[in-house]
Amino acid sequence: MLHNMTSEPEQQIGVGTQDAFQRLWTPHRMAYIQGENKPTGPGADDGCPFCSIPAKSDEDGLIVKRGEQVYAVLNLYPYNGGHLMVVPYRHVADYTDLTDPETAELGELTKQAMTALRTASGAHGFNIGMNQGTVAGAGIAAHLHQHIVPRWGGDTNFMPVVGHTKVLPQLLADTRKMLSEAWPTP
């Protein structure tokens, strides 16, 4: 049992009807729900976070690896610990608009990310993909980005289903450092 935790239900003001459930609050998710860091329009100068991240230090931008055409960055709102995105520096929305060098490096950094995640965290599998357009689920549709989500057997436990919450066991800065150190050298 965790320190100061009991198995007895306790009165929690403001959570509705008292029941036998403890609450795991994830207030950081509200920033995503409310659209924090989302662009105000489709242009690179409309507050696109993927255009501003490369100007930051690797630590401040959560950049794991910089290439010539694309970079790998941790997702601020991860589906699982270690959830990375590979993003072209150029502000482009559609996969078919990538140049051949951009496409090649996007593929290469994706392979390297998989290797780093297996080395650093023993990932058993991956979900890899990109949502093209808002109707397809792209949170930032104006700037292409490919998701690399590490998966482990049993990682989809009761929390997402019952609690509508993901439990991430590591701070993003620590994850960035761990993956950066595990990144393969080509």
Side-chain angles (χ1 to χ4, degrees):
M1 197 106 0
L2 296 175
H3 181 65
N4 293 333
M5 295 290 293
T6 69
S7 60
E8 297 297 316
E10 63 184 69
Q11 178 68 32
Q12 295 181 357
I13 305 302
V15 297
T17 306
Q18 183 176 355
D19 55 30
F21 292 102
Q22 296 287 329
R23 301 311 195 268
L24 178 61
W25 300 105
T26 56
H28 64 280
R29 292 290 300 163
M30 189 53 70
Y32 178 76
I33 292 167
Q34 293 177 335
E36 186 175 299
N37 297 322
K38 287 216 177 176
T40 57
D45 296 330
D46 291 330
C48 177
F50 296 134
C51 288
S52 63
I53 288 171
K56 299 177 182 182
S57 71
D58 289 356
E59 291 78 13
D60 290 342
L62 297 174
I63 296 171
V64 178
K65 177 68 176 175
R66 292 178 190 259
E68 291 181 27
Q69 307 289 324
V70 302
Y71 64 96
V73 62
L74 287 178
N75 192 319
L76 274 179
Y77 311 103
Y79 295 121
N80 260 350
H83 178 170
L84 289 168
M85 296 175 292
V86 179
V87 185
Y89 292 110
R90 189 167 62 95
H91 188 83
V92 58
D94 198 88
Y95 184 72
T96 61
D97 291 334
L98 291 178
T99 64
D100 289 343
E102 287 169 331
T103 303
E105 194 171 59
L106 186 137
E108 185 57 36
L109 256 66
T110 298
K111 288 170 48 177
Q112 291 174 14
M114 292 173 66
T115 299
L117 285 160
R118 282 186 179 122
T119 300
S121 65
H124 297 152
F126 299 91
N127 293 117
I128 297 173
M130 53 183 89
N131 302 321
Q132 292 283 268
T134 304
V135 299
I140 300 175
H143 197 132
L144 178 89
H145 52 285
Q146 176 162 272
H147 295 267
I148 303 159
V149 182
R151 302 300 305 268
W152 297 269
D155 67 2
T156 305
N157 60 21
F158 70 93
M159 290 301 287
V161 176
V162 175
H164 303 286
T165 299
K166 282 283 188 176
V167 178
L168 301 171
Q170 189 174 48
L171 296 173
L172 291 175
D174 295 337
T175 302
R176 191 214 67 79
K177 185 177 186 302
M178 177 185 73
L179 291 175
S180 180
E181 290 171 355
W183 203 272
T185 51

